[in-house]
């Protein structure tokens, strides 16, 4: 792979909206990605393996629980810092950002928000350092966009719960130490349970042959009469709103992350367009290629504004789930379209691993699908503005 020459676009001088602390955090994450992720990520994506050696570095830049309070080992940062870290990590690779998002928003967040003090103290500090890795089991083979139909269930056996069912498409599953699993009790109410690797009847087979997020490990969670200790139930929230609260946090991070992938594709295509000569002039001097670049930077700038504002609203506790849906949907689609155009701008070179664009493009096909598909987020916006749910 070519050396990482990334230069971040900031067309509207949006750095002026950031504090000195935000910029320090972002620049540290950016430097780490250049140093530790860019040189190895193509090789790991090609061999479909998560690079476990970066886990401690991810923890050091605040990639695990950036907004979790410091008393539990988190970085205690605000929502814009969290977003900027996700942006920088995904600038390197969406699969690496997925590991960070899952650990932060889908494992640490529910333990922090819905767990008790013993659970927080037991798990959060180890998750923050990466000593322990978690995964989040919501999706099932027959229930993806409609998780409320889940059939994974647990029964109260007196001194423990008995868990049965299966989850599919679970990021980090093949090597996770714990899983936050969403299952129905005997009354059909959804609860979160912490399932630990090694519990009898719990297996995590890996999902192979993915063309997307190849540097992120994906797998199933199978529960065959798993005895889960009663103290592993998250006591402070139940119902579908509990997993959806986690998804709000993760989707917000994805909205930032997608900007990172888009910036990398734009920056690569811009540089290439100045160097690549055809018909005796740089391709960047042609109107057609300039149109692509002009539209890319316009869309990136709009997404940066939207997402910064969402961060302010999140910091103030005023962001709605529907606003988060809009940003996730807009930004991931924007990044995917930029990746496709940028790939074309590199001609044949665009399909090789010499450049990051094709990897971003393939990764974004997962990002546009997980955490609520592109269409589902549109239906959420539609419901928000009309008051009519069009899901059924
Ligand atoms: C790489 C990867 C990693 C993932 N990681 C995780 C994870 O860590 N944890 C986890 O729990 N899940 C994870 N997922 C699962 C992901 O969230 C689901 O794939 C996603 O929610 C969509 O579900 P589905 O694949 O079953 O598609 P379906 O729900 O079957 O949807 C198929 C199509 O139908 C459309 N559709 C569905 N319902 C409607 C409707 N009412 N109206 C109009 N169109 C509709 C959808 O938009 C989509 O285009 C991951 C997925 C991938 C690909």
């Amino acid at each position: 792979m070519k050396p990482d020459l990334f230069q971040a676009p900031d067309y509207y001088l949006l750095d002026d909206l950031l504090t000195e602390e935000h910029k320090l955090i972002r620049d540290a994450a950016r430097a780490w990605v250049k140093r530790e992720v860019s040189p190895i990520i193509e090789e790991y994506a090609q061999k479909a393996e998560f690079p476990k050696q970066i886990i401690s570095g991810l923890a050091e830049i605040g990639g695990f629980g950036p907004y979790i309070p410091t008393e539990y080992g988190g970085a205690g940062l605000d929502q814009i810092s969290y977003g900027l870290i996700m942006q920088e990590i995904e600038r390197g690779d969406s699969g690496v950002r997925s590991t960070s998002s899952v650990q932060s928003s889908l494992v640490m967040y529910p333990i922090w928000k819905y767990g008790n003090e013993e659970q927080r103290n037991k798990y959060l500090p180890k998750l923050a350092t990466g000593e322990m890795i978690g995964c989040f089991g919501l999706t099932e083979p027959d229930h993806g966009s409609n998780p409320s139909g889940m059939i994974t269930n647990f029964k109260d056996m007196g001194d423990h719960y008995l868990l049965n069912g299966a989850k599919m498409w679970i990021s980090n599953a093949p090597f996770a130490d714990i899983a936050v699993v969403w299952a129905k009790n005997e009354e059909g109410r959804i609860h979160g349970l912490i399932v630990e690797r090694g519990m009898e009847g719990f297996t995590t087979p890996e999902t192979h042959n993915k063309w997307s997020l190849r540097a992120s490990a994906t797998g199933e969670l199978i529960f065959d009469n798993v005895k889960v200790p009663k103290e592993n139930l998250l006591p402070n929230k139940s119902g579908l709103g509990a997993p959806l609260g986690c998804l709000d946090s993760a989707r917000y991070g994805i909205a930032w992350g997608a900007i990172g992938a888009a910036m990398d594709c734009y920056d690569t295509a811009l540089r290439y367009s100045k160097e690549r000569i055809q018909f005796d002039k740089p391709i960047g001097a042609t109107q057609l290629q300039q149109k692509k670049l002009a539209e890319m930077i316009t869309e990136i700038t709009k997404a940066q504004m939207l997402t910064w504002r969402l961060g302010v609203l999140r910091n103030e506790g005023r962001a709605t789930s529907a606003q988060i849906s809009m940003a996730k949907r807009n930004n991931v689609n924007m990044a995917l379209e930029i990746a496709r155009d940028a790939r074309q701008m590199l001609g044949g070179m665009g399909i090789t691993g010499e450049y990051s664009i094709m990897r971003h493009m393939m990764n974004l096909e997962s990002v546009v699908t997980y955490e609520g598909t592109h269409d589902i987020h549109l239906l959420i916006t539609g419901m928000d503005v009309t008051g009519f749910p069009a899901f059924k």
Side-chain angles (χ1 to χ4, degrees), residues 161-177:
Y161 297 119
L162 200 63
L163 179 66
N164 277 291
K167 300 287 177 180
M168 192 178 180
W169 295 118
I170 307 305
S171 304
N172 297 354
F175 62 91
D177 302 289

Side-chain angles (χ1 to χ4, degrees), residues 47 124 153 175 230 232 248 258 260 285-286 314 327 340:
K47 61 183 183 186
L124 292 178
N153 65 88
F175 62 91
K230 286 206 150 169
N232 283 27
D248 268 358
T286 66
R314 290 272 296 170
R340 287 172 181 155

Side-chain angles (χ1 to χ4, degrees), residues 102 106 136-140 143-146 168-171 210 213 218 366 369-373 375-376 379 390-392:
V102 168
L106 303 182
F136 173 90
L138 180 65
T139 306
E140 299 189 352
H143 299 94
S145 298
N146 177 23
M168 192 178 180
W169 295 118
I170 307 305
S171 304
K210 290 181 299 165
L213 286 194
T218 313
S366 286
T369 295
Y370 72 20
E371 304 260 359
T373 67
D375 286 343
I376 291 294
L379 294 178
F391 299 94
K392 289 185 184 166

Side-chain angles (χ1 to χ4, degrees), residues 317-366:
R318 293 199 292 147
T320 65
S321 300
Q323 287 169 336
I324 296 167
S325 278
M326 181 185 280
K328 191 268 184 186
R329 179 174 185 273
N330 179 77
N331 292 10
V332 177
N333 190 55
M334 171 279 298
L336 195 47
E337 286 185 358
I338 286 178
R340 287 172 181 155
D341 275 348
R343 201 222 56 73
Q344 288 198 50
M345 286 186 66
L346 268 69
M349 288 312 292
I351 71 149
T352 72
E354 287 294 296
Y355 295 90
S356 55
I357 295 175
M358 186 93 177
R359 180 167 42 79
H360 282 307
M361 192 180 101
M362 309 272 272
N363 283 340
L364 288 163
E365 291 291 345
S366 286

